[in-house]
Amino acid sequence: MPDLLHAQERDRLLASLRRLLRQVSVDGEPMAGLAQTEEPGAPLLTRDNALAAELMAVPALRAVDPGLADAALGFTAVMAEEPGPLPRGALPPRAPYAEILRADPRDLRVLTPWHEFTGDLTHGVLRQRLRGDPRERDVLHTGNMVRLRLHGGVPGLLGRLSLRPRTLDVEDAVTGQGIQAEGSGVLMWHESALHLSPAPGLRLLAGTVRYEYRASAVDPVLRLTVILKAGPKAGLSAVRLTTALDALSEGAVPFPRISFGRGGAQTRRPDGPFGEEKIAEGALDSIHLWQAGPEEAASVLHIRPRAAESVFSLRVSARGGVPHWLVLRHTLPDVPRGGTATLREDRLLARGVVRGTPEAGLRLMRAPDSLAGRDPGQTAAGPALVAMASVLLNAPAFHPPLPRDRLSRLRDTLDRHLAALPEEAEDGAALPPDELAPLVLALDALLRAGGLPRERRRLRSLLGGLTAAASPEGAIGNGLMTHGAAILALARAATLIREPWVEEALRKAILALSPDGPGLAGVDTSGPASTPALSMLLRGLRTTELLAGAGAISPGPAATERLVAVRDTLLGTLSARLRAREDRLEVLPGGAGEPDAASIAALLLAVLSPDEVALATGGVAA
């Protein structure tokens, strides 16, 4: 299967990748990796570096630029050290302190390495967004209430009238607020006076409640402290405080998914429209809510009550079927006259959510120092596992060779991730197709590198899960990216698991493609598809074409005809996304956006021949 680029064009694309190399510090150690774009402050994403590491595992490409290959692989390996979802990436160097850009509590603005805060503390509103996001993606920390009653110290009739608990709006009663530097962080606070009216014309000061938000440059966790103080006249009882989020439905993207943790287990609310509902009751270890749409781009908010046993309930008020007001109610002990009660909660706003994120998010919040220099979001491990397995497969052809201890560490990392897969993944049932496809590719490479019989058994079971995930029309996953990865995985694995059902699933997957689109049967693919998605699909089709031409598989005449038509459409679309710049070629991501690392690496993987190298190593003639 010939490369579709001349060596000069290939090198001009590699030059664009090389321009994205940046130095960062992760866990206090300096390292290099690829930034997402050339824009100042762009993050270094794990997925981008994994794609580049897989690309540069092709021996001929590694020989062209071993420095780029080592940087991409080194970054990927560091991010993949722990099993489970990986850190989304790393951040370029930023100020080692939180910056107060506007100190007016009515119109504050604070920057940390991870977030931007704005808001109006005089009305009890603190807005938070990820750095670089527009205001439409703000999360509003507001909407709080206090329920209490006076207890002791109020004699006679007033005492009896005060026995009924009253609910007070915190934001309607703000009497003080402020913003100030605090070490390497910033404290933002507002305080409300809590007045009760036990009888017409009577107004008593029951106490005050203060909401303190601490943002730090050390880690991305927002720490909330609520301090309730009883007045000098009487104590407080039947106390319930809330820690809330408001206006969730008014953002650019809603948050229709919620899970909560209790006793070490996670419970996810079934997908579907929300109403006025109680999500959970009783002690909670954590709450997680995340946005609709592609999980790699979804914002997620992790909430960790520091005293799980204080949680009374988690309720949602909805608009348009999605959460609008999320209220976490806490029960506090009685507060004596002049006494105080304190409630603490940690919140982590990040981008990127994958299977297991709730548990992983809670794990990060318990050890936030591990996030120093990292993007706090999560990304799927699949691309990194494919990259490391590809290096192990192709390493014998590297000149100069990789050190043995480095190869051994890569194999250990892969083994830890594979061992951490849930037991039910043995039959593929526990994993969605966007995770199954890269796992199949990683195991395919490990087997070709001299894998063990148990890896062949697991490969077969994961292939079974991938084929079972197909729709009746043959579509796998919810878009062209997953479907293309599935075609690639089925095509490669069909030469190792030589059973008719594998080729049949591959044939149906190809026929599920529209020759005019590219479109996918039963799946909404309106709007411009991303360059990485189109490139993955092209790569899968070219690999199938290679194997069919070598007689290794037989997709049949109809599927072959469809393959050629879609391949030609993809080549025309992707060619139009190339942009010449001086001594290099850039790749547009599709739709809006500037050239990025993922688009360059994905296109190169599609038009060069990484799979031909892997298949030849596995003994398939090409």
Side-chain angles (χ1 to χ4, degrees):
M1 179 171 65
D3 292 346
L4 299 181
L5 288 177
H6 295 301
Q8 183 182 22
E9 294 170 320
R10 177 203 67 191
D11 291 346
R12 293 176 72 193
L13 284 165
L14 289 176
S16 289
L17 268 187
R18 197 177 303 114
R19 285 175 62 91
L20 296 173
L21 281 172
R22 302 287 186 272
Q23 291 288 326
V24 292
S25 176
V26 175
D27 301 331
E29 297 293 328
M31 63 183 303
L34 292 169
Q36 183 181 21
T37 66
E38 289 193 46
E39 182 181 352
L44 285 69
L45 299 183
T46 303
R47 188 181 187 92
D48 295 357
N49 281 272
L51 284 173
E54 183 189 4
L55 169 70
M56 301 306 292
V58 176
L61 290 180
R62 181 177 176 83
V64 171
D65 197 333
L68 177 60
D70 284 338
L73 177 61
F75 187 94
T76 302
V78 167
M79 292 295 145
E81 284 179 348
E82 296 298 325
L86 309 187
R88 186 168 176 266
L91 299 176
R94 286 172 175 163
Y97 52 86
E99 302 174 85
I100 301 176
L101 303 183
R102 282 198 303 269
D104 182 353
R106 295 167 299 181
D107 185 24
L108 68 92
R109 188 177 178 218
V110 170
L111 280 182
T112 75
W114 298 270
H115 300 111
E116 179 176 358
F117 296 89
T118 58
D120 180 0
L121 297 176
T122 65
H123 289 92
V125 177
L126 181 66
R127 310 175 71 98
Q128 182 183 15
R129 70 185 72 117
L130 293 161
R131 279 187 66 153
D133 272 2
R135 182 175 176 138
E136 292 75 25
R137 285 186 172 267
D138 283 357
V139 169
L140 273 64
H141 305 277
T142 187
N144 292 297
M145 313 289 287
V146 178
R147 178 184 179 272
L148 49 77
R149 70 184 178 196
L150 296 179
H151 177 73
V154 182
L157 177 62
L158 289 184
R160 290 194 294 275
L161 291 172
S162 300
L163 289 178
R164 185 167 62 87
R166 311 294 177 90
T167 299
L168 305 174
D169 190 303
V170 170
E171 282 77 36
D172 282 350
V174 174
T175 56
Q177 59 282 317
I179 175 172
Q180 62 201 62
E182 192 178 69
S184 63
V186 170
L187 167 64
M188 298 160 281
W189 61 273
H190 58 83
E191 185 170 289
S192 301
L194 304 175
H195 289 96
L196 292 179
S197 298
L202 294 177
R203 183 175 167 84
L204 299 176
L205 178 63
T208 60
V209 64
R210 178 182 171 106
Y211 282 71
E212 298 180 344
Y213 298 89
R214 286 178 168 84
S216 172
V218 176
D219 62 62
V221 174
L222 178 66
R223 292 171 174 83
L224 168 59
T225 304
V226 186
I227 304 168
L228 176 67
K229 183 175 182 179
K233 300 287 187 180
L236 305 175
S237 63
V239 177
R240 286 185 192 154
L241 285 175
T242 71
T243 51
L245 299 160
D246 208 352
L248 290 167
S249 68
E250 296 177 2
V253 184
F255 286 79
R257 301 186 179 113
I258 291 179
S259 72
F260 58 87
R262 176 183 287 146
Q266 282 287 324
T267 301
R268 176 170 171 173
R269 179 196 179 276
D271 291 344
F274 285 77
E276 305 293 318
E277 60 185 272
K278 183 185 292 183
I279 304 295
E281 191 170 18
L284 295 178
D285 300 321
S286 62
I287 300 94
H288 315 268
L289 61 159
W290 61 100
Q291 290 177 331
E295 293 184 334
E296 288 284 332
S299 292
V300 57
L301 185 66
H302 307 284
I303 301 173
R304 178 197 177 199
R306 298 302 296 269
E309 66 278 3
S310 75
V311 177
F312 178 75
S313 68
L314 173 66
R315 298 189 70 94
V316 162
S317 176
R319 287 187 186 176
V322 296
H324 181 80
W325 183 31
L326 183 139
V327 182
L328 191 60
R329 287 183 170 88
H330 307 261
T331 300
L332 293 183
D334 292 352
V335 184
R337 281 183 294 176
T340 61
T342 302
L343 180 72
R344 291 185 172 86
E345 184 176 286
D346 293 344
R347 298 181 172 189
L348 175 61
L349 177 64
R351 178 179 289 112
V353 55
V354 296
R355 175 187 169 82
T357 290
E359 296 89 337
L362 181 59
R363 190 165 63 240
L364 290 174
M365 294 175 77
R366 286 175 172 156
D369 54 335
S370 67
L371 287 171
R374 298 179 189 240
D375 185 297
Q378 317 270 278
T379 191
L385 303 186
V386 174
M388 292 186 291
S390 299
V391 170
L392 291 173
L393 174 61
N394 296 334
F398 290 172
H399 296 291
L402 281 182
R404 285 180 176 270
D405 62 337
R406 190 174 186 191
L407 294 173
S408 177
R409 288 196 301 272
L410 290 178
R411 180 68 212 222
D412 288 345
T413 300
L414 278 163
D415 288 342
R416 287 198 301 273
H417 278 273
L418 294 174
L421 291 175
E423 288 299 321
E424 58 265 37
E426 291 293 343
D427 61 5
L431 297 172
D434 59 343
E435 293 189 46
L436 284 167
L439 282 173
V440 168
L441 288 171
L443 282 167
D444 173 280
L446 287 178
L447 275 170
R448 296 178 193 280
L452 302 173
R454 69 169 182 266
E455 286 160 352
R456 182 178 295 275
R457 290 194 297 271
R458 169 153 286 192
L459 174 62
R460 188 183 185 281
S461 69
L462 294 177
L463 273 174
L466 192 60
T467 58
S471 71
E473 297 85 4
I476 302 177
N478 56 6
L480 295 174
M481 173 69 84
T482 301
H483 192 76
I487 288 176
L488 176 62
L490 289 167
R492 281 180 49 163
T495 65
L496 296 174
I497 308 298
R498 296 182 177 274
E499 299 182 28
W501 57 270
V502 182
E503 281 196 29
E504 175 61 16
L506 175 61
R507 182 187 65 80
K508 288 186 67 176
I510 294 170
L511 290 174
L513 293 166
S514 166
D516 306 319
L520 188 56
V523 176
D524 181 8
T525 56
S526 58
S530 72
T531 294
L534 297 181
S535 297
M536 179 60 81
L537 181 56
L538 176 61
R539 181 181 173 189
L541 295 178
R542 292 191 70 223
T543 300
T544 303
E545 189 176 22
L546 164 72
L547 291 168
I553 59 174
S554 302
T560 300
E561 182 180 353
R562 183 68 51 86
L563 183 156
V564 171
V566 177
R567 179 204 65 194
D568 291 344
T569 300
L570 290 170
L571 285 171
T573 302
L574 290 170
S575 297
R577 295 185 180 180
L578 290 173
R579 186 169 74 182
R581 282 289 179 89
E582 300 170 353
D583 62 340
R584 65 188 191 279
L585 280 174
E586 296 178 336
V587 184
L588 297 173
E594 288 299 305
D596 58 22
S599 297
I600 300 168
L603 180 66
L604 281 167
L605 282 165
V607 298
L608 299 180
S609 305
D611 302 291
E612 181 178 15
V613 174
L615 292 163
T617 303
V620 177

